[in-house]
Amino acid sequence: MPQPLIITLCVLAIVIAIAAATFMFWRVRKRQQLNAVVEQRDDDIKKVSYAFVINPSKPQAAELRERITSFCAGKGIDHFFVDTQLDKDGNACAREAIAKGASAVVAVGGDGTVRTVASAMAKFNGIPMGIVPIGTANLFARNMGIPVDDVEAALTVATSHGSRHVDMGRLCVLDSDEPDHDHGFLIVGGVGFDALMIDDTNPTLKKNISWLAYFASATKHLFSPKNRGDLTIIDPRGNTRTSTGLSFRTFMAGNCGQLPALSLMPEAVSDDGYLDFELIDTTGGIIGWANLFGDVVHQTITGRAKQSPFSTNSRIDQIKGSRAELHLERPALAQVDGDVLGETRHVAFSIEKQALCVRVPEVPAEPTGLMAL
């Protein structure tokens, strides 16, 4: 092997090792800071009854139920469980819990359970919601700084003082015949490629490699037909912006923009009363997708919703707003927080400002969209 190549590989290995060590040190430091905050939490047990909404089909559900019972018994916390079922999602469970007298509701599950519980809790003014994340990605918990790999710490946060009021997004399927066609979301709602990717993700692969399974599914749809339609957005000043004849891969509305290792919508703030709308398109085959990935990396590094200056075959149009309405020429799949809703040609996105009261480790002094580990 040529000596210059050997030197280059050695330098690259050293750089990667230093970057990995720095990242691990940062994560350990953040975890230490989080543990210190959690230890100082003020227990909220006086005249408070906690309802734990749990999905019994999860592999660890039985063990978690025992751990929650033991935790609550040790702290003298009054509690009861409400199980989700095939015909009773988190929304129905949360409403049942409130009807039974719960003064706080804790969602025990992944982003799907959290989303459906939150969709109901946003209607109950000020009643706090806790989260014990046990899903694949746990994106909302991550965005809120809630521990995702420490059940005891998550339980401590969920059952102690310290809450934050965050926005609740809504995606309304306007051409649906279903009586319930209004779907809440906390992270991202979208139409097009993102929904296709989620819908085609292999459950077994998702279980084995977590959120990375979405990338495997994405490769199957890189060359799927584009979506075409008309888009109307109401911006923060109340002005209406209409674009007709758009061609795009996906349209998304984000309340939180941070993903593991990447920033999809770096300027999204979960309590500012606005959604961050993003229209994404690519051209030139695989070159366009490579450019798009570079754009996302550029956003992650800079923390700004701007494309890479080297991008040539990708497009990311981003704008904040309070409402958007999308008319499509042909049906496309829609999704909210990873739950696929089916095909639609006419959807509307809206926001409920600070409608949800969530127990979090630290309450920020100012609105922030940054994710804590």
Side-chain angles (χ1 to χ4, degrees):
M1 184 180 293
Q3 187 174 4
L5 180 59
I6 294 176
I7 295 174
T8 301
L9 291 175
C10 289
V11 171
L12 182 60
I14 292 171
V15 170
I16 293 174
I18 292 174
T22 302
F23 177 73
M24 291 303 298
F25 174 80
W26 178 76
R27 283 203 63 174
V28 170
R29 181 60 179 163
K30 291 291 291 185
R31 176 51 51 83
Q32 290 174 342
Q33 293 174 345
L34 180 59
N35 288 340
V37 171
V38 170
E39 289 175 0
Q40 297 174 8
R41 301 279 291 193
D42 181 16
D43 289 346
D44 179 22
I45 61 175
K46 295 181 180 180
K47 298 180 181 179
V48 175
S49 177
Y50 282 86
F52 290 86
V53 176
I54 188 169
N55 183 348
S57 67
K58 291 286 186 181
Q60 63 272 54
E63 177 188 352
L64 268 174
R65 193 186 299 267
E66 293 180 1
R67 293 184 67 177
I68 292 169
T69 299
S70 176
F71 177 89
C72 291
K75 291 183 173 288
I77 297 174
D78 179 43
H79 72 286
F80 61 93
F81 292 92
V82 182
D83 290 355
T84 63
Q85 300 172 12
L86 290 176
D87 59 347
K88 187 171 72 172
D89 64 4
N91 188 312
C93 288
R95 293 179 183 278
E96 179 182 323
I98 298 299
K100 288 183 176 180
S103 5
V105 176
V106 181
V108 184
D111 285 318
T113 300
V114 170
R115 179 189 74 82
T116 52
V117 170
S119 187
M121 294 303 296
K123 302 297 184 182
F124 296 100
N125 187 26
I127 297 180
M129 170 184 167
I131 299 172
V132 178
I134 59 170
T136 301
N138 302 307
L139 292 180
F140 184 68
R142 291 177 186 274
N143 275 271
M144 293 295 104
I146 296 169
V148 298
D149 54 5
D150 188 333
V151 172
E152 295 291 319
L155 281 169
T156 299
V157 172
T159 59
S160 55
H161 288 293
S163 300
R164 177 180 174 184
H165 284 81
V166 300
D167 302 336
M168 188 83 203
R170 297 282 176 182
L171 187 159
C172 185
V173 183
L174 297 175
D175 57 352
S176 172
D177 294 329
E178 297 293 329
D180 184 14
H181 54 265
D182 184 32
H183 306 273
F185 65 90
L186 293 166
I187 311 160
V188 174
V191 178
F193 175 80
D194 60 318
L196 272 175
M197 175 187 68
I198 292 167
D199 188 52
D200 204 23
T201 299
N202 186 296
T204 302
L205 194 62
K206 183 178 175 181
K207 181 179 179 180
N208 291 332
I209 64 173
S210 187
W211 56 272
L212 291 173
Y214 291 120
F215 288 95
S217 173
T219 60
K220 303 177 186 179
H221 300 285
L222 295 181
F223 306 108
S224 296
K226 294 186 181 184
N227 302 285
R228 289 177 171 78
D230 303 334
L231 175 65
T232 299
I233 293 176
I234 299 178
D235 69 18
R237 295 184 177 181
N239 300 318
T240 300
R241 302 186 180 189
T242 300
S243 301
T244 59
L246 291 171
S247 176
F248 59 94
R249 298 287 182 183
T250 191
F251 175 75
M252 293 182 288
N255 189 37
C256 299
Q258 305 299 324
L259 305 177
L262 294 172
S263 183
L264 184 63
M265 298 176 182
E267 296 180 9
V269 179
S270 60
D271 54 3
D272 64 351
Y274 299 106
L275 290 168
D276 278 49
F277 298 113
E278 193 168 84
L279 189 79
I280 295 176
D281 192 25
T282 64
T283 59
I286 198 68
I287 295 175
W289 287 105
N291 278 186
L292 180 63
F293 181 76
D295 291 335
V296 175
V297 172
H298 182 262
Q299 288 187 158
T300 303
I301 295 173
T302 63
R304 300 293 302 275
K306 290 187 177 181
Q307 289 184 255
S308 166
F310 305 106
S311 185
T312 58
N313 292 80
S314 62
R315 169 189 176 190
I316 304 181
D317 293 338
Q318 303 185 57
I319 181 175
K320 284 186 180 290
S322 58
R323 179 178 171 83
E325 191 166 339
L326 179 65
H327 292 259
L328 296 172
E329 291 182 1
R330 58 181 178 82
L333 282 178
Q335 64 84 22
V336 284
D337 290 355
D339 290 337
V340 178
L341 305 178
E343 291 191 332
T344 177
R345 291 182 59 188
H346 190 191
V347 296
F349 298 87
S350 60
I351 190 79
E352 296 175 6
K353 184 175 181 179
Q354 299 185 7
L356 184 66
C357 179
V358 183
R359 290 279 169 84
V360 295
E362 296 181 271
V363 181
E366 298 180 358
T368 174
L370 297 181
M371 177 176 68
L373 293 179

